């Protein structure tokens, strides 16, 4: 199985060479290097690696902190890899999701994270109850007084919090929006984004549009993605969708494209719900003739 290495350093003063050497010694066929903060979940190199990794591949890091600084981010990345049929391995930590021991370790980490969240919730409730019995009223005095400065701080804090949450999911939707808009209608872009995601992480069109507008406002996406989608011939719509799926994952198989289309509830040209590899191949060839596939 191909081993794909990922090495990260936080500053320009650091060098990823020791990590790259360790990854090469571990048998990685390709190594991707990035200079970025570990707290930033929307790292462009990591995003590209997660988009292109294929079934049976293994993402390898020297240490867990080179991939993620928080347990929630680590579990999120591993969930994305598992959705693509790929694995994760850390050279210095007991995690290898291709082995039963590694999977067990991952389950323990997930249970620990949930237990920690439960403890925090219980401590917060107990603290609030104790404050109420002593007659203390929670909340910001400035907000209770409707002070404009306090209201502005809260508004900015909420905006920062919203952008932070968006950054945590950016790898799910930003590459698709950047690549498909405005050539493709929002409805089709949305279904392509949602197809590989678990139910709990799927987007609605209103949520997606709000996120895209926020990223355009802050300069993370070009304003052109908000342009009006051009009219497309009915016969060209399915080839365009299949080309978009193929573009997001060049190594995807015809059978996996079939599964993705069925997850999107996209019907075949004859109106059937079950797709065949031969139909996908025909439409993919048409997409190539139309210049929709790179």
């Amino acid at each position: 199985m191909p081993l794909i290495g990922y090495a990260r350093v936080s500053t320009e003063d650091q060098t990823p060479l020791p990590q790259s050497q360790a990854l090469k010694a571990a048998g990685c066929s390709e190594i991707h290097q990035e200079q970025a903060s570990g707290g930033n979940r929307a790292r462009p190199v990591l995003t590209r690696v997660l988009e292109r990794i294929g079934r049976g591949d293994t993402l390898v890091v020297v240490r867990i902190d080179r991939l993620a600084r928080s347990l929630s981010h680590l579990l999120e990345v591993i969930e994305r890899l598992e959705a693509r049929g790929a694995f994760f391995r850390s050279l210095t930590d007991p995690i290898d999701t291709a082995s039963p021991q590694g999977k067990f370790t991952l389950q323990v980490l997930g249970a620990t994270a949930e237990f920690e969240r439960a403890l925090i919730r219980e401590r917060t409730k107990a603290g609030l109850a104790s404050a109420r019995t002593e007659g203390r009223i929670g909340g910001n005095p400035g907000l209770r007084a409707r002070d404009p400065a306090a209201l502005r701080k809260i508004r900015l804090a909420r905006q920062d919090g919203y952008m932070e949450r968006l950054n945590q999911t950016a790898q799910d939707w930003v590459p698709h929006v950047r690549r498909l808009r405005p050539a493709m209608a929002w409805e089709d872009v949305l279904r392509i984004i949602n197809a590989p995601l678990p139910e709990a992480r799927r987007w609605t069109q209103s949520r997606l549009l709000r996120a895209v507008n926020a990223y355009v406002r802050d300069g993370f996406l070009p304003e052109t993605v908000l342009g009006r989608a051009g009219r497309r011939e009915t016969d060209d719509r399915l080839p365009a969708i299949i080309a978009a799926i193929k573009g997001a994952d060049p190594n995807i198989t015809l059978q996996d494209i079939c599964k993705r289309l069925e997850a999107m509830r996209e019907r075949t040209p004859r109106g059937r719900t079950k797709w065949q590899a031969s139909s996908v191949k025909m439409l993919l060839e048409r997409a190539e003739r139309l210049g929709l596939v790179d």
Side-chain angles (χ1 to χ4, degrees), residues 10-54:
S10 298
T11 67
E12 295 180 355
D13 297 334
Q14 299 172 317
T15 173
L17 183 59
Q19 295 178 55
S20 297
Q21 291 173 335
L23 292 169
K24 185 176 181 180
C28 292
S29 57
E30 57 181 275
I31 298 172
H32 301 269
Q33 300 179 354
E34 183 160 38
Q35 188 263 305
S37 168
N40 179 12
R41 298 193 181 191
R43 289 172 246 154
V45 174
L46 178 60
T47 298
R48 287 197 299 271
V49 171
L50 294 177
E51 285 176 358
R52 297 173 182 175
I53 200 163

Side-chain angles (χ1 to χ4, degrees), residues 6-186:
Y6 175 75
R8 181 190 64 79
V9 294
S10 298
T11 67
E12 295 180 355
D13 297 334
Q14 299 172 317
T15 173
L17 183 59
Q19 295 178 55
S20 297
Q21 291 173 335
L23 292 169
K24 185 176 181 180
C28 292
S29 57
E30 57 181 275
I31 298 172
H32 301 269
Q33 300 179 354
E34 183 160 38
Q35 188 263 305
S37 168
N40 179 12
R41 298 193 181 191
R43 289 172 246 154
V45 174
L46 178 60
T47 298
R48 287 197 299 271
V49 171
L50 294 177
E51 285 176 358
R52 297 173 182 175
I53 200 163
R55 183 175 297 277
D57 293 347
T58 299
L59 179 64
V60 185
V61 296
V62 174
R63 298 189 310 275
I64 288 177
D65 67 349
R66 297 302 87 197
L67 178 68
R69 284 286 181 84
S70 67
L71 182 56
S72 63
H73 188 205
L74 173 65
L75 295 175
E76 178 186 315
V77 171
I78 293 177
E79 181 181 313
R80 285 176 59 87
L81 291 171
E82 289 181 340
R84 302 181 73 91
F87 306 101
F88 171 73
R89 180 188 304 172
S90 172
L91 299 181
T92 57
D93 303 291
I95 295 184
D96 181 353
T97 60
S99 70
Q101 296 87 348
K103 289 183 179 179
F104 174 73
T105 302
L106 188 62
Q107 290 171 352
V108 171
L109 287 174
T112 302
E114 179 56 35
F115 179 64
E116 183 180 10
R117 288 192 292 268
L119 285 178
I120 292 172
R121 287 194 296 268
E122 290 303 317
R123 289 169 183 162
T124 301
K125 290 179 181 178
L128 290 173
S130 175
R132 282 194 294 269
T133 60
E134 296 176 6
R136 298 200 305 271
I137 300 176
N140 187 316
L143 288 181
R144 291 200 300 271
R146 309 300 294 175
D147 178 65
L151 292 173
R152 182 174 180 275
K153 286 183 180 180
I154 291 297
R155 185 169 60 252
L156 292 175
R158 286 176 177 171
Q159 182 176 324
D160 289 344
Y162 175 64
M163 293 303 294
E164 176 63 26
R165 293 193 299 275
L166 284 187
N167 290 340
Q168 294 173 8
T169 62
Q171 56 195 8
D172 290 341
W173 56 276
V174 170
H176 293 292
V177 171
R178 191 186 300 276
R179 186 167 47 86
L180 301 177
R181 288 291 304 166
M184 185 173 286
W186 283 112

